[in-house]
Amino acid sequence: MKKNQLAEGIYSVGAVDWDVRDFHGYSTYKGTTYNAFLIIDEKITLVDTVKYSQKEQLLYNISQIIDPKKIDYLVVNHVELDHSGCIPDIIDLINPEKVICSPMGEKALLAHFHQEDWPFEIVKSGAEISLGARTLQFIETRMLHWPDSMFSYLKEDGILFSSDAFGQHLASTSCFDDQLPLGDIMNESAKYYANILYLFSPLIQKLLKSLAELNLDIKMIAPDHGVIWRTHKDKIIKAYDKWSKGEDSKKALIIYDTMWHSTEKMAQAIARGIEAENIPAELINLKVNHRSDVMTKILESRAVILGSPTLNNGILPRIGSFLIYMKGLKPTGKLGAAFGSFGWSGEAVGILNSMMEEMKIDLIGDGLRLKYIPTEENIAECFEYGRTLGKAINEKTEN
Ligand code: FEO
């Protein structure tokens, strides 16, 4: 079997992007892949394409198996440009008999590329198309990640082409989940979930239930980013179930920025107080932690304690920017509190509280403000405040 072969006649032919480091605000330190899949049957079928800049890799990989012009059907599971950027060039080259997409997929393709004369074949949930010996079944997955998104399930081989779902931004020439350390794959899967899919958690819960009801005999899950799940597919489904239910650990994140180290000293003392109540507390200085890594930690932590000094009657810009990013991802079921030093006006704690209330974070108390540089007594006060937070976290949670 070739190294990129999923089963007899089914190949991964997408592209590895070793260089990408930013995915609209998500820091992709490990690059990514844009996966596409070729099915050799009576109707030769390409499932998804790649980002425009990676078109040559896609065509090269296909040409190692067949002449790309022999492709009959193009399946578009998702129209975001990392998967569709080269579609116009691919359609010009292969002149497909069908461009298969969801109803919303057609709308999105037209709004992106304005080509009314493409041979659209619109498929709704449950529709099937025969490729010859094999059958593709389609499942619309609206908002995972866009309204147009769908899964394609290759029935005879039990392969679920899952588009963005179950993916990871992880560049590698290894195609499968048993060819890289599982811890690395799961970490990148959690980061991907926290930064791309978190806000769709209620829909993901519904999707997991409806997938179970379909009773598909899934042997492999082939997402459009990262490795294909063939050995550990149950682990990623279980993780999606846990993340989408909002199950986290009794742990506190103390996320702060600091001007002249006073808020930092407060953060350290508060952490010691929380730890004194037997709750792990992690200090996260936003000067040295990327927002997307912090979101990954929030996914799995119960309490979010925010700290900022007051600057110009407001909060420090780094924490403001982080909170705008966090708000969009809609984490649920978190406990929160605020703290910070100030000189004269001292609005930061109130602003942090308001922002957390907007995110429906359950606030513990009104927060702690200290003037200028904390004294020893002030540090003791921060420690006690940490203990108070720790006690409240223990009271409000069971595990
Ligand atoms: Fe990988 Fe929503 O695109």
Side-chain angles (χ1 to χ4, degrees), residues 42 111 179 216 218 238 276 280 334:
E42 279 172 40
Q179 296 173 329
L216 305 176
I218 298 172
K238 204 170 161 194
K334 304 298 175 191

Side-chain angles (χ1 to χ4, degrees), residues 246-262:
E247 286 178 10
D248 49 24
S249 302
K250 193 155 70 174
K251 176 179 168 186
L253 301 177
I254 300 171
I255 302 166
Y256 70 97
D257 196 359
T258 193
M259 197 188 300
W260 293 107
H261 301 290
S262 292

Side-chain angles (χ1 to χ4, degrees), residues 5 11 23-24 56 90-91 167 189 193 211 214 247-248 253 258 263-264 292 346:
Q5 195 169 347
Y11 303 89
F23 203 91
H24 34 65
E56 295 309 322
I90 295 292
I91 289 180
S189 297
Y193 188 96
L211 266 186
L214 285 172
E247 286 178 10
D248 49 24
L253 301 177
T258 193
T263 300
E264 183 174 52
S292 51

Side-chain angles (χ1 to χ4, degrees), residues 23-24 33-34 78-83 144-146 149 163-164 169 192 196 224-225:
F23 203 91
H24 34 65
T33 66
Y34 314 108
H78 179 27
V79 183
E80 190 165 8
L81 287 164
D82 48 333
H83 310 291
L144 298 177
H145 159 229
W146 277 9
S149 297
S163 186
D164 276 341
H169 285 313
Y192 186 96
I196 304 237
D224 276 356
H225 297 289

Side-chain angles (χ1 to χ4, degrees), residues 339-386:
F339 65 95
S341 72
F342 70 104
W344 49 100
S345 58
E347 291 90 342
V349 166
I351 292 169
L352 295 176
N353 281 340
S354 300
M355 292 178 90
M356 284 192 277
E357 277 172 346
E358 280 175 29
M359 287 188 258
K360 300 189 170 47
I361 290 175
D362 185 4
L363 286 182
I364 308 168
D366 297 329
L368 179 64
R369 303 185 317 156
L370 291 178
K371 204 158 186 174
Y372 288 118
I373 295 174
T375 61
E376 271 184 33
E377 289 75 25
N378 291 149
I379 291 299
E381 191 182 343
C382 291
F383 178 83
E384 285 309 317
Y385 179 61

